[in-house]
Amino acid sequence: MLLTAISLTDHAALSEMPEWTAFSHAARNASTRSKALRIINAAGIDLDLSGQTYSPELAEATKALLEARQFGARRDMLLSGGIVNETEGRAAWHTALREAAPEPDIAAERERMNNFIRVADSERRWRNIVHIGIGGSDWGVRLAVNAFGYARTWRNVRFVANIDGHAITGGLAGLDPHDTLVVLASKSFTTAETLQNGQRALEWLASAGIENPNEQIVAITARPEAAKAWGVPEAHIFKLWDWIGGRFSLWSSVSLTTALAVGPEVMAGMLAGAAATDAHFAEAPIERNAPVQMAIAGIINRSVLNYGSLNIAPYDSRLATLVPYIQQLEMESLGKSVDLAGNPVGVPTGPAVWGMAGTDAQHTFFQWLHQGSDGAPVDFIVCQAADHSWSSHHESLLANCLAQREALLNGKTYNEALAECLATGIPADRASWLARHKAHPGGRPSTLIVLPRLTPYTLGALLALYEHKVFVQALVWGINPFDQWGVEYGKVLAKGIAGTLSGGPDVDPSAHNASTTHWINVFRKSLNHPE
Ligand code: F6P
């Protein structure tokens, strides 16, 4: 493992760098309405950036900015296991998990996992899997199972993440406990949601008269000793490494559930696709480097054009879970505004990420995207070929995707709208009024990502594309994409309040604001004396 530190801690704030001034100036002078086709292919995926800001001057300014941020050296550090997560003093080496010939302990752990699956399959065991995990220990697995098990999985898979007791109640309801495997995925093995839900699942197994309920529990964690102390049999504990961030952990045994549900070959395909993106990221020149160019488009949209959010629109119902997956990846990684030197970044950083699968999204919020006062850049994601035989459905899906994108990009001028109204025989007075409502501003940036078809390989390649995009954006902004101190703080506060609610000492009004104090008292009363 290469541990040479190329630190950003002594770097200048982005807003004070002359390279940033030149870059933002070039971006302001460039256009999203360029007619030029700009498509980059990476790992078999086409990234069409024709709807993003571009000019040759901007391309030059991009290179200078990345050079000033030591892009090449930092990328090499990431890919070779250097300490890129500086605030937590560790690597973020998820790419090591997808190497064709991984290091011996990674290969050995994968073999253990595959062996577990072989035995379960040969015995036709575990008709039901209850996957318990949250955040990065949940979204990636859910995404893969939904993407490739959308029609059916031979094992019945339930996901339980939320601490809300309704989630575990629903997650276990109707299952045969005798043929249910409970998978506890938690890197830290301290996450309250996962441990409490796991406890309920264990009780549920025991209450069905199962003699050794712990034998039906599997854990994936970076703290095997904690899982063992919790009662998980040693042979059922699969290792995660400290240098794999939670939101980058689907490349590890966290995907045991995916492999049990849709086959180990799905996981192998995803790893191979991600490895192909890694190779592209490592080798492609800046102007043809897909994650880099995607990152640059995002930085312009957020920090120069001031768009506060990014919309993800997968035109594929199998990829509906891609939205929360990317939401966590981007927002937990880029939701920071202090740089590695400890100073304010000085420009707006990571956008809010939101979305929904198309065409549902069109009937939910696309009106806002078209004519709302703010608008948002959109990542349209679509597969060229479908895996069903209803060709008219796929034609419509593709047509809708292209049409929405074109409307956002081209817009419709007042004169065009007026001509349309007059052509239908609307009187001139009313037409001029109506045309003002029908005009679209246009010029709204978007990226079109085209997968040849949805396969484990292309999904793996797509996810790695977003991962590296996030890395490059963090590098330019000067922030650490691998920590999440804000979330950690909320967890500490929740622990304290939970203690008070469950009958601890009276609430200390000086510790909370008036509203929190009021509701703690109300809830304490109703929890201890339910009506
Ligand atoms: O949401 C905060 C977080 O720490 C995520 O980064 C992580 O994916 C999730 O909680 C779950 O953590 P763990 O896998 O340790 O249970």
Side-chain angles (χ1 to χ4, degrees):
M1 203 186 284
L2 179 73
L3 293 176
T4 340
I6 299 165
S7 179
L8 279 182
T9 51
D10 52 359
H11 273 207
L14 181 65
S15 55
E16 283 160 23
M17 291 169 67
E19 292 84 359
W20 171 254
T21 309
F23 173 87
S24 50
H25 182 76
R28 254 180 237 112
N29 287 336
S31 165
T32 43
R33 289 178 198 251
S34 147
K35 295 276 181 287
L37 192 59
R38 199 157 67 95
I39 300 176
I40 299 174
N41 186 279
I45 295 180
D46 276 330
L47 184 74
D48 184 340
L49 292 157
S50 313
Q52 298 287 0
T53 307
Y54 180 77
S55 73
E57 297 72 37
L58 179 60
E60 283 311 306
T62 296
K63 278 189 203 157
L65 179 62
L66 289 173
E67 208 167 291
R69 277 305 202 205
Q70 297 181 282
F71 165 66
R74 289 289 291 189
R75 173 186 55 186
D76 294 350
M77 265 181 84
L78 171 82
L79 298 176
S80 58
I83 308 289
V84 286
N85 177 355
E86 280 158 310
T87 58
E88 294 180 319
R90 59 189 180 213
W93 207 18
H94 36 282
T95 54
L97 297 177
R98 43 220 203 196
E99 281 171 12
E103 297 213 339
D105 56 337
I106 297 173
E109 206 54 22
R110 194 163 306 147
E111 185 44 31
R112 279 188 68 224
M113 183 188 92
N114 286 338
N115 201 41
F116 180 88
I117 297 165
R118 271 193 293 272
V119 172
D121 285 354
S122 68
E123 294 173 350
R124 298 291 287 174
R125 273 199 96 188
W126 315 128
R127 275 261 146 217
N128 309 306
I129 312 284
V130 179
H131 181 98
I132 301 179
I134 197 162
S137 295
D138 173 52
W139 289 125
V141 185
R142 252 191 232 237
L143 168 59
V145 171
N146 290 344
F148 303 111
Y150 64 95
R152 161 175 76 86
T153 53
W154 85 262
R155 290 192 166 100
N156 177 23
V157 185
R158 302 269 180 89
F159 290 94
V160 179
N162 204 312
I163 192 83
D164 180 353
H166 301 106
I168 186 70
T169 306
L172 299 172
L175 301 182
D176 170 8
H178 295 273
D179 206 5
T180 297
L181 180 73
V182 175
V183 177
L184 294 185
S186 177
K187 179 183 172 186
S188 61
F189 224 76
T190 56
T191 303
E193 286 93 334
T194 305
L195 296 187
Q196 284 200 47
N197 284 326
Q199 200 56 46
R200 297 295 83 75
L202 192 61
E203 289 159 9
W204 173 78
L205 291 170
S207 68
I210 293 168
E211 213 173 304
N212 289 315
N214 295 47
E215 289 295 327
Q216 293 186 210
I217 309 266
V218 166
I220 300 110
T221 182
R223 291 187 55 236
E225 69 300 337
K228 202 172 155 200
W230 193 89
V232 184
E234 214 162 345
H236 283 194
I237 300 174
F238 296 95
K239 199 167 75 180
L240 250 182
W241 293 268
D242 194 38
W243 38 265
I244 303 291
R247 52 192 173 274
F248 303 89
S249 65
L250 88 156
W251 315 106
S252 71
S253 305
V254 162
S255 286
L256 171 70
T257 298
T258 309
L260 279 166
V262 286
E265 65 284 359
V266 167
M267 196 176 159
M270 288 179 67
L271 290 169
T277 299
D278 296 340
H280 167 93
F281 181 53
E283 291 155 15
I286 282 177
E287 62 281 8
R288 305 292 309 158
N289 197 305
V292 170
Q293 292 302 326
M294 219 172 146
I296 293 300
I299 290 166
I300 293 170
N301 290 334
R302 181 69 191 109
S303 306
V304 180
L305 304 179
N306 240 334
Y307 283 109
S309 73
L310 167 68
N311 185 272
I312 305 291
Y315 270 69
D316 193 312
S317 60
R318 297 168 295 179
L319 292 181
T321 322
L322 184 63
V323 176
Y325 180 85
I326 296 181
Q327 204 166 39
Q328 187 201 9
L329 176 63
E330 294 226 357
M331 294 178 78
E332 209 162 76
S333 303
L334 301 173
K336 335 254 158 95
S337 37
V338 166
D339 68 16
L340 277 160
N343 297 318
V345 176
V347 302
T349 57
V353 176
W354 57 293
M356 187 184 282
T359 57
D360 308 58
Q362 290 173 208
H363 302 272
T364 310
F365 51 70
F366 262 57
Q367 170 59 35
W368 182 90
L369 289 173
H370 286 298
Q371 291 184 305
S373 51
D374 300 287
V378 183
D379 282 0
F380 289 92
I381 301 159
V382 75
C383 292
Q384 195 162 339
D387 291 293
H388 58 73
S389 52
W390 315 105
S391 60
S392 66
H393 282 252
H394 199 54
E395 275 162 31
S396 298
L397 186 77
L398 293 174
N400 272 281
C401 175
L402 290 179
Q404 295 296 323
R405 180 164 174 262
E406 188 160 273
L408 286 168
L409 214 48
N410 293 356
K412 185 192 281 185
T413 64
Y414 167 78
N415 285 338
E416 284 166 345
L418 181 65
E420 263 176 34
C421 292
L422 292 172
T424 60
I426 296 174
D429 265 13
R430 186 173 166 80
S432 85
W433 166 77
L434 197 53
R436 270 173 264 156
H437 294 269
K438 291 193 164 197
H440 283 231
R444 300 208 154 162
S446 65
T447 299
L448 175 64
I449 301 174
V450 182
L451 278 52
R453 81 184 317 133
L454 183 63
T455 63
Y457 185 92
T458 56
L459 182 61
L462 179 70
L463 300 186
L465 182 65
Y466 275 94
E467 282 179 358
H468 295 318
K469 170 209 157 179
V470 163
F471 173 78
V472 176
Q473 290 188 325
L475 179 74
V476 171
W477 282 320
I479 58 183
N480 179 5
F482 301 116
D483 61 14
Q484 58 283 319
W485 298 108
V487 189
E488 307 303 343
Y489 177 52
K491 286 183 194 172
V492 172
L493 291 188
K495 215 171 174 180
I497 294 177
T500 313
L501 287 179
S502 63
D506 280 356
V507 60
D508 170 7
S510 68
H512 304 282
N513 61 43
S515 174
T516 308
T517 303
H518 169 78
W519 289 111
I520 288 176
N521 284 326
V522 170
F523 294 155
R524 224 162 102 109
K525 224 165 150 197
S526 63
L527 282 165
N528 296 328
H529 309 284
E531 297 197 345

